[in-house]
Amino acid sequence: QVLRPPLGPGNDGKLYAAAITPDGAMVAVGGWSTDNDVYLFDRSSGTLRHRITGLPDVVTQLTFSPDGKTLAVGLWGTNGVRLFNSDSAWHGSRESSNDSRYEGAVSGAKFSGDGARLALASTDGMIRMYDVSQQQLKLVSSTRPSQGRQPFGVAWSADDTLLAVGFSDSTAVAVLKADT
């Protein structure tokens, strides 16, 4: 299937992030557009089903929760993360929470396997862990790994107890305890 997000002059239409729901039904893409949109497509038909619009900056990361009902949107600059929910199979959505207390762009985002936590990497050097069990972002811990200055990407272990962090300025991989 070919997905066709709107294009425009200059940078308008450059895509930097994509995510697919765990059931494979929906695809979210985002990046640089006039209103910093996230486009949600029906994967099988390629139809644009919904648009999240008016975000404060370029979309850098997208990740769906394991149940496919929550989408975390990481942003460029110091704009942090937004959490969107949909009870209508992404025919609509609402912002349920956000955290804009960042000093750099979101460079990695991933929900835990049970969907109760969200891990984020940022170019400000921090790894942030949120509780999202009530569709709200509650910061539970943050750390600055010593293996590199620019975290780039996060991945959970199969049992959700460890978090692997890659870096754009180092070949090292940090393995962190997810609860601390």
Side-chain angles (χ1 to χ4, degrees):
Q1 189 56 258
V2 176
L3 306 177
R4 301 216 182 265
L7 298 174
N11 291 320
D12 201 9
K14 286 184 178 178
L15 301 177
Y16 298 127
I20 189 166
T21 54
D23 66 3
M26 297 296 300
V27 177
V29 296
W32 196 316
S33 65
T34 302
D35 293 315
N36 301 311
D37 298 335
V38 174
Y39 306 101
L40 290 120
F41 291 91
D42 178 272
R43 185 204 42 84
S44 63
S45 70
T47 303
L48 178 60
R49 185 179 289 180
H50 179 60
R51 182 185 290 194
I52 298 170
T53 190
L55 295 168
D57 214 326
V58 173
V59 175
T60 60
Q61 294 288 314
L62 295 168
T63 186
F64 281 104
S65 62
D67 66 5
K69 294 181 179 181
T70 303
L71 177 66
V73 179
L75 300 168
W76 184 258
T78 60
N79 294 287
V81 62
R82 304 288 189 273
L83 209 60
F84 290 88
N85 297 93
S86 178
D87 293 328
S88 62
W90 295 100
H91 287 283
S93 67
R94 66 176 177 77
E95 183 176 335
S96 61
S97 190
N98 68 71
D99 183 358
S100 59
R101 296 169 297 189
Y102 280 62
E103 294 178 21
V106 174
S107 57
K110 188 73 175 160
F111 281 96
S112 60
D114 62 6
R117 292 176 290 172
L118 174 65
L120 292 173
S122 174
T123 60
D124 63 10
M126 300 300 291
I127 303 298
R128 292 169 176 84
M129 183 72 63
Y130 296 91
D131 174 75
V132 291
S133 58
Q134 300 295 318
Q135 297 181 341
Q136 296 291 310
L137 290 167
K138 178 183 175 192
L139 184 64
V140 293
S141 66
S142 62
T143 189
R144 186 179 307 273
S146 61
Q147 293 85 346
R149 291 187 317 254
Q150 296 283 305
F152 195 88
V154 293
W156 289 88
S157 63
D159 63 1
D160 288 339
T161 62
L162 300 173
L163 191 67
V165 179
F167 299 88
S168 63
D169 66 329
S170 169
T171 58
V173 174
V175 178
L176 308 172
K177 290 184 178 182
D179 60 350
T180 60

